[in-house]
Amino acid sequence: MADVDAAQRALEDALGPSEVLSDPLSRALYARDASMVEGACALVAFPRSLEDVVACVRIAGEHGLPIVPRGSGTGLAGASTPIADALVVVTSKMTRILEVRPEDRLAWVEPGLPNLDLATALAPSGFTYAPDPSSQQTSSIGGNVNTNAGGLHCLAYGVTSNHVLALDLVLPDASVVRLGSEAPEAAGYDLRGVVIGSEGTVGIVAAVCVRLTPLPPDVRTMLFDFETVEDCAATVSAIIASGVVPAAIEMMDHGIVVAAESFAHAGYPTDAAAILIVEVDGTPASVRAQSEAVERAAREHRVRSVRVARDEAERGLIWKGRKSAFGAVAQIAPHYHLHDCVVPRSSLARVLAGVYEIAARHGLVVTNVFHAGDGNLHPLLSFDRRVPGTLERVLRASDEIVRLCISVGGALSGEHGIGLEKREFMPLVFTDDDLAAQACVRTAFDPDGRMNPHKVLPEGARCGDFAMARGADAAGAAASLPEGSWI
Amino acid sequence: MDLIHPHSKADVLEVLREASRHRTRVLIVGGRTHMDKGNPCETDVELWTTMLDDLIAYEPAEMIAVVGAGMRVGDLQRALAEADQEWPVDAPPEATVGGVIAAAAVSPRRLSVGAVRDSVLEVELVTGDGRLVRSGARTVKNVTGYDLHKLVTGSLGTLGVIVQVALKVRPRPQARRTVLAGGGLETAARLLERVPLPAAVLATPETTEVRLEGWGEQVEEQTLAVAGSASVIELLDEAPFPLRRPWEERALVLEAAVPPSRLPELLAEAPDAWGALAGVGIAWVGLDAADGELAVVRERAARLGGIAPVVKGPGGLGDAPVPAMEVHRRLKASFDPAGVLAPGRFWGGI
């Protein structure tokens, strides 16, 4: 049985009294992340060092508290929503850049460092950290690691996993291991690769060694507008078919263009059915060649106008509209539910038509802004939770959207993760054996099920069903969601 | 040694179930091009994957190819070339896709193409006890559960048989050029700094090969940058990269990995048959025998924060410490509970 009071005293001794919160307001604040799920927690701790993180994990273990790691709380799938007696370990006070070594093309940072702060700090060195989720002003590197975060420039640069060389992980037994290496290869299985995207269920990431990417010598940002969504979507496939892999291809539909424009004043064409933002980078000659091919593809699909950013200020403005899109939808309705699923690029137009149909049938407003080049959709349902019955309609529509994406060969999540919100969808894409194998991976790190229970795997998926593994089992030991938490 | 040559995933499942039941130790074999990577181990049978060589799905517009793991790399690259695409992994044409993944083979173009693991989107694996499990998805982005496909990349056939994979492919560059310049590591370091976005910079004791790939005009632009910073010996369009691999003429080849800036220290007293990837930290070092030299290079790599497994000839992986050994043991016990998959071949004696 958890002894919360004893745990609190021990944590206060180890971290200092000001770094441990237990008052009702704090517990309520940390009982949820940016998802629609609400949970509950017993204590909130703010480590300032690797040693503090170790102390948190050790003390939680000694007093029987489950641990929920949390970065900036921008997660959209409920992975850092705590359940019941949990100790929430918040890394947002661990924001130091520990070391920058351009000669080795790497930097060591603490997990709480906001993504954009790292990119800004690196810029004078001629390097950058490539992953740039839309939440980058707030979201932390540690959170990005735990969700294998994507961003606007994944198409050419890849996701977080491609840019993390090594990490220091505090295992659930409070031991510390360095996974991966400053060298390009390391001894052992790629546990680094397993931790990335594991949503805080295998340990707490206490330091991250990121790969530095040289800033491209030239970049061009273009904005295309179309009279139909179909032409816009078809242009995406045509660009790829022409042999160009732009740094980014982002698509915004009419509804989101209108909302973003009135918020960011980026000069977006508000009468367009859809717009594409395409960015190409490389050497000057390569940028010229790519831009020509991209423009040709757009013209073949009846583009209405082409706008090329003339300078850094205009480029910034075009991206500002895109990056503030989610904030801008507050004008449509007070609440929104943001989806994240991936479909084959060639089925974008068909899936979008389906999404509009589903929303219309449930009487909901849907807008779309997404990473078209990756086939990564983000349908955004706007609603007012206070209207009785609305939430139920949102959840039914969401369910249908997920099933639609899966039916065309898509994935449940491209960059937000599974968390609590999507774990019961996992059997849609995986067999019992697949899920049991995944449970084995989790159990290998966390045999006693201490770390972020209830997340990622559906109830019932357990390692013991699969192989001859022994001992306790993280996912299997989880009971049903307690009363008071809702999705 | 008995040979087993399965024709289907179902065959593989059956073979592994039987092997686990009878404690028959199995060595998984693809194109036999990367077998020397790994510690010596005793096995009873060889399981050849080469009949699992179907092109299962390939949509050029998706830039994803799904293939049987026994497909030869040369056959895959030919199929992709028809749509002007490539799997951005450099391996001998007779190697199998699954073998290259299981060995986590390092591409000479690592600087621009990244690690093999970055191109593996989905894996179907038959575990040691004969279960088929799938991980990942046929999409370029995917955060859906635990990435078994990362775990098996580089696992040297000790967790299961990779039977099918979905690979991220990309357009073939329109122009490819190797610029051979005079000067070794120092030249390479200078070129890495001054040439914008090269595909690779490979130093040998006396020369540096700069690989340039992309649009025609871009390659010309980059060539000028090379010429401005080093003495150019030769320009070769459409040549293989690297042009020469003198280290492979030796009996034994080490594949050392250290932080990139430590390459000069690693190679300071190394014998003269080596090639090193600037900005990456990989060095292939050729030796005549698994004698004292091997231990010296290994010890030096370890001191510089790296490893140095042998990839050709005898010598195994070396005794670099494996982090989280308990996690490794539990993984092995879950995926190969009877311990029949190449016992002892992996790091740490797994």
Side-chain angles (χ1 to χ4, degrees):
Chain A
M1 194 56 207
D3 187 342
V4 174
D5 292 338
Q8 180 172 356
R9 284 191 300 274
L11 283 166
E12 285 174 351
D13 282 347
L15 274 59
S18 60
E19 310 300 355
V20 184
L21 303 177
S22 61
D23 61 289
L25 176 61
S26 301
R27 284 164 51 205
L29 280 174
Y30 287 91
R32 57 180 310 160
D33 51 22
S35 69
M36 298 216 301
V37 199
E38 193 161 315
C41 64
L43 292 168
V44 186
F46 297 86
R48 288 181 177 272
S49 65
L50 173 78
E51 292 68 32
D52 284 358
V53 176
V54 170
C56 289
V57 174
R58 179 179 51 78
I59 291 164
E62 286 166 359
H63 298 284
L65 271 67
I67 300 161
V68 179
R70 176 187 175 105
S72 303
T74 57
L76 288 156
S80 27
T81 295
I83 304 295
D85 276 342
L87 166 67
V88 180
V89 179
V90 187
T91 59
S92 60
K93 291 187 179 178
M94 295 173 70
T95 57
R96 285 177 300 171
I97 296 175
L98 302 168
E99 204 180 0
V100 179
R101 284 170 27 206
E103 70 278 16
D104 287 322
R105 299 195 169 201
L106 64 83
W108 277 99
V109 305
E110 289 188 328
L113 179 71
N115 174 298
L116 187 61
D117 290 6
L118 175 58
T120 307
L122 290 174
S125 70
F127 288 93
T128 190
Y129 173 63
D132 59 342
S134 302
S135 59
Q136 70 178 155
Q137 284 198 331
T138 317
S139 68
S140 67
I141 297 292
N144 291 174
V145 166
N146 272 294
T147 52
N148 194 7
L152 304 171
H153 291 85
C154 293
L155 185 54
Y157 289 95
V159 294
T160 297
S161 182
N162 306 14
H163 299 277
V164 171
L165 296 170
L167 39 87
D168 287 343
L169 184 76
V170 181
L171 286 166
D173 66 3
S175 62
V176 181
V177 288
R178 174 159 298 183
L179 306 177
S181 172
E182 293 181 355
E185 295 291 325
Y189 296 130
D190 184 15
L191 302 185
R192 173 211 65 94
V194 173
V195 173
I196 297 168
S198 64
E199 305 190 45
T201 61
V202 297
I204 301 184
V205 174
V208 185
C209 180
V210 300
R211 176 199 309 285
L212 305 187
T213 303
L215 284 166
D218 197 11
V219 57
R220 190 173 299 177
T221 308
M222 294 164 279
L223 192 152
F224 303 97
D225 84 278
F226 296 87
E227 277 179 28
T228 69
V229 170
E230 290 72 21
D231 279 339
C232 191
T235 301
V236 177
S237 290
I239 291 170
I240 300 299
S242 74
V244 178
V245 182
I249 306 181
E250 295 288 305
M251 185 166 162
M252 299 168 73
D253 72 3
H254 174 75
I256 204 85
V257 165
V258 171
E261 177 58 21
S262 69
F263 183 85
H265 309 292
Y268 288 170
T270 50
D271 57 344
I275 66 170
L276 273 190
I277 301 171
V278 182
E279 188 161 278
V280 295
D281 65 19
T283 68
S286 143
V287 165
R288 276 195 302 278
Q290 293 181 73
S291 317
E292 280 164 23
V294 168
E295 220 176 299
R296 202 159 44 239
R299 293 204 188 282
E300 280 163 11
H301 291 89
R302 295 164 287 280
V303 66
R304 216 167 50 160
S305 73
V306 180
R307 174 176 162 199
V308 180
R310 283 155 303 185
D311 51 29
E312 197 52 36
E314 188 171 2
R315 175 177 176 241
L317 198 58
I318 289 177
W319 279 122
K320 184 184 171 199
R322 162 64 184 88
K323 290 185 184 180
S324 55
F326 295 136
V329 295
Q331 303 161 76
I332 299 173
H335 304 112
Y336 68 74
H337 186 41
L338 176 64
H339 272 272
D340 166 43
C341 44
V342 195
V343 300
R345 221 175 268 121
S346 50
S347 58
L348 274 178
R350 185 154 58 99
V351 173
L352 272 175
V355 168
Y356 291 130
E357 186 275 324
I358 290 167
R361 191 152 35 75
H362 291 283
L364 295 164
V365 177
V366 67
T367 48
N368 288 278
V369 44
F370 57 96
H371 315 303
D374 306 317
N376 190 179
L377 285 170
H378 286 323
L380 206 137
L381 297 165
S382 295
F383 60 98
D384 186 342
R385 184 184 268 174
R386 296 163 299 190
V387 178
T390 306
L391 196 63
E392 288 69 25
R393 282 187 287 131
V394 169
L395 293 176
R396 276 199 301 275
S398 300
D399 185 280
E400 289 180 33
I401 289 171
V402 170
R403 287 169 197 277
L404 170 66
C405 293
I406 298 306
S407 74
V408 300
L412 279 177
S413 166
E415 52 187 13
H416 297 171
I418 301 301
L420 281 170
E421 283 204 343
K422 282 187 172 166
R423 60 182 192 148
E424 297 305 334
F425 287 117
M426 289 284 271
L428 277 182
V429 288
F430 291 118
T431 66
D432 288 349
D433 275 352
D434 298 341
L435 291 170
Q438 294 199 20
C440 286
V441 173
R442 179 185 188 144
T443 303
F445 284 87
D446 186 16
D448 301 322
R450 289 178 182 165
M451 197 56 69
N452 211 4
H454 304 286
K455 310 296 168 60
V456 183
L457 294 173
E459 298 298 348
R462 58 181 73 206
C463 182
D465 294 344
F466 174 62
M468 302 165 201
R470 295 146 296 271
D473 147 10
S480 298
L481 284 181
E483 295 269 335
S485 57
W486 58 275
I487 299 179
Chain B
M1 168 109 46
D2 282 341
L3 303 182
I4 304 170
H5 212 170
H7 288 236
S8 66
K9 291 177 201 168
D11 287 354
V12 179
L13 287 166
E14 188 53 36
V15 168
L16 269 295
R17 278 180 200 151
E18 284 300 307
S20 275
R21 196 169 302 137
H22 301 292
R23 309 266 156 173
T24 309
R25 295 164 303 175
V26 182
L27 184 68
I28 305 162
V29 178
R32 213 173 269 287
T33 52
H34 294 88
M35 296 308 291
D36 288 351
K37 187 170 180 182
N39 295 319
C41 64
E42 279 181 29
T43 49
D44 306 307
V45 297
E46 284 192 359
L47 186 158
W48 290 15
T49 61
T50 46
M51 297 287 275
L52 305 167
D53 63 347
D54 291 337
L55 180 64
I56 290 151
Y58 174 43
E59 275 297 327
E62 300 299 335
M63 295 196 290
I64 291 171
V66 184
V67 303
M71 178 179 261
R72 306 279 177 173
V73 171
D75 292 339
L76 170 65
Q77 299 291 22
R78 257 191 302 283
L80 299 175
E82 284 177 25
D84 250 337
Q85 293 186 339
E86 65 168 359
W87 182 35
V89 169
D90 305 323
E94 68 274 23
T96 60
V97 169
V100 170
I101 293 169
V106 175
S107 298
R109 292 182 296 164
R110 173 76 173 252
L111 183 67
S112 56
V113 300
V116 171
R117 62 180 186 239
D118 295 340
S119 72
V120 180
L121 301 172
E122 179 188 72
V123 162
E124 282 190 14
L125 180 82
V126 175
T127 59
D129 57 341
R131 304 218 185 193
L132 183 67
V133 298
R134 186 177 56 80
S135 150
R138 296 179 190 180
T139 54
V140 289
K141 287 162 86 179
N142 170 41
V143 188
T144 311
Y146 300 89
D147 288 352
L148 293 177
H149 48 294
K150 290 283 191 302
L151 206 55
V152 297
T153 302
S155 65
L156 298 175
T158 59
L159 292 175
V161 184
I162 300 170
V163 291
Q164 183 181 309
V165 293
L167 305 170
K168 185 176 170 182
V169 302
R170 66 172 201 180
R172 256 158 58 93
Q174 300 209 336
R176 284 171 292 273
R177 173 178 289 170
T178 297
V179 184
L180 183 65
L185 277 173
E186 277 181 36
T187 306
R190 190 167 65 243
L191 289 170
L192 186 70
E193 205 167 288
R194 298 201 189 154
V195 179
L197 312 178
V201 180
L202 175 87
T204 64
E206 305 294 335
T207 59
T208 294
E209 289 183 31
V210 184
R211 181 66 165 183
L212 305 174
E213 294 186 346
W215 307 83
E217 248 189 282
Q218 170 199 343
V219 166
E220 295 300 337
E221 192 176 62
Q222 291 168 314
T223 304
L224 287 177
V226 177
S229 304
S231 64
V232 172
I233 299 170
E234 207 173 359
L235 298 185
L236 294 124
D237 287 338
E238 305 300 315
F241 178 77
L243 292 168
R244 293 190 317 114
R245 303 174 190 239
W247 55 90
E248 286 192 356
E249 290 155 20
R250 303 301 172 96
L252 187 145
V253 177
L254 280 164
E255 185 176 82
V258 295
S261 71
R262 313 311 290 270
L263 283 172
E265 281 164 86
L266 176 76
L267 297 165
E269 289 154 45
D272 57 358
W274 53 260
L277 297 175
V280 173
I282 291 284
W284 291 287
V285 182
L287 301 176
D288 288 325
D291 54 15
E293 289 285 13
L294 173 62
V296 169
V297 180
R298 275 207 172 133
E299 190 275 324
R300 186 164 293 178
R303 193 157 37 78
L304 298 171
I307 55 171
V310 165
V311 292
K312 178 194 166 193
L317 298 169
D319 54 3
V322 176
M325 199 57 206
E326 275 309 302
V327 177
H328 277 81
R329 287 206 188 93
R330 285 193 284 258
L331 285 168
K332 175 70 175 177
S334 292
F335 285 83
D336 180 21
V340 294
L341 294 174
R345 190 178 182 205
F346 197 65
W347 295 94
I350 291 171

